[in-house]
Amino acid sequence: MTKRLGEPPVRRAVVSGSAFEERIGYARAVVDGDRVHVSGTTGFDYASMTISGDVVEQAEQCLRNIGAALAEAGCTFADVVRVRYLLPAREDFEPCWPVLRRAFERVRPAATMMVCGLADERMRIEIEVDARRGTVVAGPGSALRFEPVDGDAMVDGDAMVDEWRHVHNVIVPPAAMTLDEARARAGRNRLVNAYLGDVLVGCSTVRPPAGEEQVATVIARVLPAYRGRGIGTALYEEGLAHARVLDAGAVETVVLAANADGLRFAGARGFVEKERYVLDGERDEWVDLRLASTAG
């Protein structure tokens, strides 16, 4: 969400369903503008309120719980700037290092380890993180990466097609696809998935140039929780660059009329409305737009 000058930061709570949150009166995380503060999180499986006796397994569950809170706040481990580790026994810390390194090695947050008592004797580690939902820029060293979807790939092909389909169906539910339909789309168009760290955050479609004007279609989609961070712009620019490689004579996009965010995004990037229509047998209105520099 973009904040206008002079507006107070947007504050909201993220709850996980933990019995501790209800009994004590706190949130798993608090989103305060671009800042995300995740409470000290232990290795309980909050669905069953059970906990392993093994400290490494507890650390893994801590990170799963934290990852879920970060995702609901619209960020990932790639956005973490500070982490604090709390353990009753200092000798338990080193066995957890490989698990912690997998989560934080790429982002390298500031970190502190403290030896202290925890609220329940079954708890052997507690982890607290702070993150920042800043603008994401694609490029070398960035946590944002784009992966082309190859529907014919023998390894992970269907998984990537299904991830692309998931984003598409969330953004445009009236045109929700089956896996077979998404596979067919991958055979006709260039599909790309966008990840922030290891988290799926968006996708794009580039339809090859067609017709007398050699019109290519570029569509960028970002899951709602991750909007306002520059991910859509980076996806769009990557798709536009590919359309130009294909020698497109003009570039268009298509947006569901009910998607106000999508229409604002397209307008801010120079697209102008070309036509509105409703497909035969359907009720939802669609908008075709063309880049102003190529609008006829």
Side-chain angles (χ1 to χ4, degrees):
M1 180 180 295
T2 301
K3 184 172 76 69
R4 293 184 177 88
L5 187 63
E7 288 185 346
V10 177
R11 185 185 187 280
R12 67 181 176 92
V14 174
V15 296
S16 67
S18 161
F20 298 115
E21 295 169 37
E22 179 65 26
R23 292 172 186 167
I24 300 171
Y26 69 98
R28 176 59 43 208
V30 171
V31 181
D32 187 17
D34 289 335
R35 301 285 176 174
V36 179
H37 308 279
V38 181
S39 297
T41 300
T42 62
F44 272 90
D45 179 337
Y46 296 135
S48 60
M49 288 307 294
T50 57
I51 189 169
S52 169
D54 180 78
V55 68
V56 175
E57 292 179 3
Q58 286 194 25
E60 291 172 338
Q61 185 64 46
C62 286
L63 295 173
R64 283 193 288 270
N65 295 339
I66 290 168
L70 290 171
E72 190 169 341
C75 55
T76 73
F77 284 105
D79 300 304
V80 172
V81 296
R82 158 68 72 175
V83 58
R84 297 175 183 86
Y85 305 108
L86 295 82
L87 297 93
R90 60 171 49 85
E91 61 269 20
D92 278 349
F93 190 41
E94 188 170 351
C96 298
W97 289 359
V99 172
L100 306 177
R101 185 169 57 248
R102 285 197 296 272
F104 297 115
E105 184 175 23
R106 290 182 64 183
V107 65
R108 297 295 180 97
T112 302
M113 180 271 194
M114 298 176 62
V115 176
C116 61
L118 299 180
D120 186 314
E121 64 181 11
R122 292 172 294 175
M123 300 172 180
R124 298 179 64 184
I125 185 170
E126 184 169 327
I127 303 174
E128 173 187 341
V129 306
D130 295 320
R132 185 176 68 86
R133 298 180 70 256
T135 300
V136 179
V137 179
S142 172
L144 180 63
R145 59 187 175 87
F146 303 131
E147 297 288 346
V149 175
D150 183 355
D152 295 326
M154 296 298 294
V155 179
D156 295 332
D158 268 359
M160 291 194 70
V161 170
D162 203 35
E163 287 184 325
W164 181 93
R165 181 177 75 99
H166 168 73
V167 178
H168 173 276
N169 289 357
V170 168
I171 305 304
V172 283
M177 295 183 188
T178 65
L179 183 57
D180 283 342
E181 289 171 332
R183 285 195 199 102
R185 189 67 58 92
R188 298 193 303 269
N189 305 324
R190 181 177 185 264
L191 309 183
V192 169
N193 288 338
Y195 303 88
L196 191 56
D198 294 326
V199 177
L200 177 71
V201 295
C203 75
S204 69
T205 301
V206 177
R207 297 176 189 162
E212 292 183 3
E213 295 183 88
Q214 286 294 285
V215 178
T217 300
V218 177
I219 304 171
R221 308 176 189 90
V222 178
L223 291 171
Y226 299 95
R227 291 175 183 167
R229 303 192 58 189
I231 296 170
T233 297
L235 259 176
Y236 162 69
E237 289 176 349
E238 193 271 348
L240 182 61
H242 185 73
R244 287 170 174 158
V245 167
L246 299 177
D247 293 325
V251 173
E252 294 185 351
T253 193
V254 58
V255 181
L256 187 65
N259 183 359
D261 285 344
L263 290 173
R264 281 193 294 269
F265 178 89
R269 277 142 196 89
F271 283 88
V272 295
E273 185 174 327
K274 184 180 175 187
E275 65 173 327
R276 292 180 177 238
Y277 54 91
V278 176
L279 297 173
D280 290 343
E282 297 186 7
R283 295 164 52 182
D284 297 283
E285 187 178 43
W286 298 86
V287 185
D288 281 348
L289 305 100
R290 181 174 287 198
L291 271 181
S293 59
T294 59

